[in-house]
């Protein structure tokens, strides 16, 4: 009996040790994402400000138009389901480079993040689901808020995107905001093809369909930017919530509907920006030496395998998305970066 009791006690002790280890690991992870870990407390390095990063990193040698960070309205579509997972990573990293220019569009009021973003969380009152109507509803609110801002560029990203803010500014300097520009990255290998309904020939008794139209669209998961001129041209179809009705009529998701509107109604072709990337690509194939030249990155978890950028940095247990490591790789002077 004593032996059995000792064995049971030993088993219980090992279980307690395992539980304590798991709790410790989760706590350390939380500290990393919320900024509680200081790797070298004796070293005080001032964090880069928006102005210092932009001025030092952006080449203004011969821009078409003098674009600064303050000319951008950056929107991030998110939901209550990701407010404690995806948002903290963004708020700790690239949001710090564009605090005044970045707005988050969600589906509920959350005071904690409202304080962290200095009031830049917008409750769209849209559904938290990933349905076509919910996505288009949020895009409609993003578009209307952009119009109110009177900024030169409207750039939309998703909450699983990392945005290299200085590089985004640099890329936009290639284009004249006074002209119609639709910038993005395709996620398909051919344009969307829309056909008339199939008809049956009375003579041949063979069904056939006729191509109605085709168009490319920039995937929202890589990022899409619209010039002010193009955004104003879209007013009759997208302003005041009209974009929701437009989506319902064409029956496409938000980014596809946007592409249809711009390419088929506005007659403006998508300009592919190769520096934009989404989780639909293989992130590990991006050249580490050229990461500083890219604008956006993504990540995804499929069947227990992470599709993430290959970058040195934090332990993967603490940083599975690699966004913390990517941020420190691009901007090593931030306080939470290891030295």
């Amino acid at each position: 009996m004593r032996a059995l009791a000792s064995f049971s006690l030993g088993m219980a002790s090992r279980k307690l040790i395992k539980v304590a280890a798991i709790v410790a690991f989760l706590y350390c992870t939380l500290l990393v994402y919320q900024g509680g870990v200081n790797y070298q407390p004796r070293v005080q390095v001032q964090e880069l400000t928006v102005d210092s990063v932009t001025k030092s990193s952006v080449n203004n040698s011969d821009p078409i138009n003098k674009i600064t960070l303050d000319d951008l309205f950056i929107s991030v579509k998110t939901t209550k389901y990701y407010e404690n997972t995806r948002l903290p990573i963004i708020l700790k990293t690239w949001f710090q480079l564009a605090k005044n220019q970045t707005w988050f569009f969600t589906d509920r009021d959350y005071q904690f993040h409202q304080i962290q973003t200095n009031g830049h969380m917008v409750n769209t009152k849209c559904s938290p689901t990933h349905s076509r109507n919910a996505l288009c509803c949020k895009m409609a609110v993003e578009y209307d808020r952009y119009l109110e801002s009177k900024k030169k560029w409207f750039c939309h990203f998703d909450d699983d995107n990392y945005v290299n803010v200085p590089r985004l500014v640099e890329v936009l300097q290639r284009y004249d905001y006074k002209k119609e520009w639709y910038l993005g990255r395709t996620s398909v290998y051919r344009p969307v093809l829309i056909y008339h309904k199939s008809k049956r020939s009375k003579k041949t008794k063979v069904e056939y369909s006729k191509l109605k139209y085709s168009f490319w669209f920039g995937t929202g998961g890589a990022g899409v930017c619209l010039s002010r001129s193009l955004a104003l041209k879209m007013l009759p179809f997208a302003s005041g919530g009209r974009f929701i009705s437009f989506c319902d009529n064409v029956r496409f998701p938000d980014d596809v509907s946007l592409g249809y509107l711009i390419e088929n109604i506005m007659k403006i072709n998508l300009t592919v920006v190769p520096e934009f990337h989404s989780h639909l690509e293989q992130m590990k194939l991006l050249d580490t030496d050229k990461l500083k030249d890219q604008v956006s990155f993504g990540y995804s978890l499929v069947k227990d395998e992470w599709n993430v950028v290959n970058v040195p940095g934090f332990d993967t247990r603490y940083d599975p998305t690699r966004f913390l490591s990517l941020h420190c790789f691009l901007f090593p002077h931030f306080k939470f970066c290891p030295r």
Side-chain angles (χ1 to χ4, degrees):
M1 292 296 292
R2 290 181 178 179
L4 180 60
S6 299
F7 176 77
S8 299
L9 182 61
M11 290 291 291
S13 299
R14 283 194 289 272
K15 288 183 179 180
L16 287 175
I17 293 173
K18 288 182 179 180
V19 171
I22 293 173
V23 171
F25 170 74
L26 294 175
Y27 178 68
C28 290
T29 302
L30 181 63
L31 285 177
V32 170
Y33 277 86
Q34 293 187 349
V37 175
N38 191 343
Y39 288 90
Q40 286 192 346
R42 298 178 184 177
V43 180
Q44 298 295 327
V45 180
Q46 183 178 3
E47 287 190 13
L48 296 177
T49 64
V50 174
D51 289 339
S52 64
V53 171
T54 302
K55 290 178 181 178
S56 63
S57 303
V58 176
N59 180 11
N60 295 325
S61 58
D62 188 24
I64 293 177
N65 281 276
K66 180 66 175 180
I67 297 297
T68 67
L69 179 59
D70 200 45
D71 293 317
L72 276 61
F73 181 92
I74 303 174
S75 68
V76 178
K77 182 189 279 99
T78 187
T79 173
K80 66 180 183 180
Y81 297 126
Y82 296 135
E83 62 191 18
N84 292 318
T85 54
R86 294 184 178 183
L87 271 188
I89 307 172
I90 294 177
L91 296 180
K92 185 174 179 63
T93 58
W94 69 265
F95 172 71
Q96 299 300 318
L97 301 176
K99 290 181 179 180
N100 297 326
Q101 296 76 23
T102 305
W103 295 79
F104 298 90
F105 293 80
T106 186
D107 37 60
R108 79 154 182 160
D109 293 317
Y110 192 37
Q111 190 61 26
F112 177 69
H113 282 151
Q114 195 67 265
I115 295 173
Q116 282 193 315
T117 62
N118 194 26
H120 279 217
M121 297 291 297
V122 179
N123 184 353
T124 61
K125 310 295 184 181
C126 303
S127 168
T129 66
H130 202 258
S131 65
R132 182 188 72 241
N133 182 266
L135 295 173
C136 291
C137 176
K138 288 178 181 176
M139 180 64 80
V141 179
E142 292 178 53
Y143 172 77
D144 284 339
R145 278 297 187 100
Y146 162 69
L147 291 178
E148 294 174 4
S149 74
K150 296 181 172 55
K151 301 288 186 177
K152 296 176 180 178
W153 286 96
F154 169 36
C155 291
H156 158 91
F157 296 96
D158 284 349
D159 57 7
D160 58 354
N161 279 138
Y162 178 94
V163 182
N164 184 351
V165 177
R167 181 59 176 160
L168 175 62
V169 175
E170 182 179 17
V171 167
L172 291 179
Q173 287 180 342
R174 304 173 186 168
Y175 308 96
D176 187 351
Y177 74 93
K178 297 177 183 177
K179 297 181 181 179
E180 291 80 22
W181 287 106
Y182 172 34
L183 310 177
R185 177 75 176 265
T186 62
S187 59
V188 292
Y189 296 104
R190 66 175 184 174
V192 178
L193 305 176
I194 307 299
Y195 294 88
H196 285 289
K197 291 184 178 180
S198 298
K199 296 182 180 179
R200 188 178 183 86
S201 172
K202 294 181 180 179
K203 294 182 179 180
T204 62
K205 295 183 180 181
V206 175
E207 290 189 358
Y208 70 95
S209 57
K210 184 179 179 180
L211 180 64
K212 191 175 182 180
Y213 47 75
S214 66
F215 64 94
W216 292 97
F217 71 94
T219 180
V224 174
C225 290
L226 309 181
S227 63
R228 181 74 179 176
S229 179
L230 175 58
L232 292 176
K233 192 175 182 179
M234 293 165 49
L235 275 170
F237 303 92
S239 65
R242 293 186 183 93
F243 187 70
I244 302 175
S245 299
F246 184 85
C247 286
D248 288 339
N249 289 333
V250 298
R251 304 186 67 80
F252 291 137
D254 55 335
D255 51 358
V256 186
S257 293
L258 188 66
Y260 171 72
L261 171 60
I262 295 174
E263 286 222 339
N264 278 276
I265 307 299
M266 303 289 98
K267 304 300 181 184
I268 304 298
N269 292 331
L270 171 69
T271 297
V272 175
V273 180
E275 293 92 342
F276 285 27
H277 304 279
S278 76
H279 67 272
L280 299 175
E281 303 172 49
Q282 284 293 320
M283 290 289 99
K284 64 183 179 182
L285 298 181
L286 294 178
D287 189 344
T288 305
D289 294 334
K290 296 181 180 179
L291 293 181
K292 293 184 179 181
D293 299 326
Q294 311 310 308
V295 171
S296 61
F297 307 83
Y299 69 85
S300 63
L301 177 62
V302 180
K303 296 181 180 180
D304 298 326
E305 184 175 350
W306 284 94
N307 175 23
V308 295
V309 63
N310 182 20
V311 64
F314 296 102
D315 190 300
T316 55
R317 293 175 299 172
Y318 299 142
D319 184 25
T321 70
R322 309 311 292 156
F323 277 8
L324 289 172
S325 299
L326 175 62
H327 187 73
C328 289
F329 181 82
L330 298 175
F331 309 105
H333 295 90
F334 270 71
K335 289 180 180 179
F336 69 85
C337 297
R339 296 176 175 80

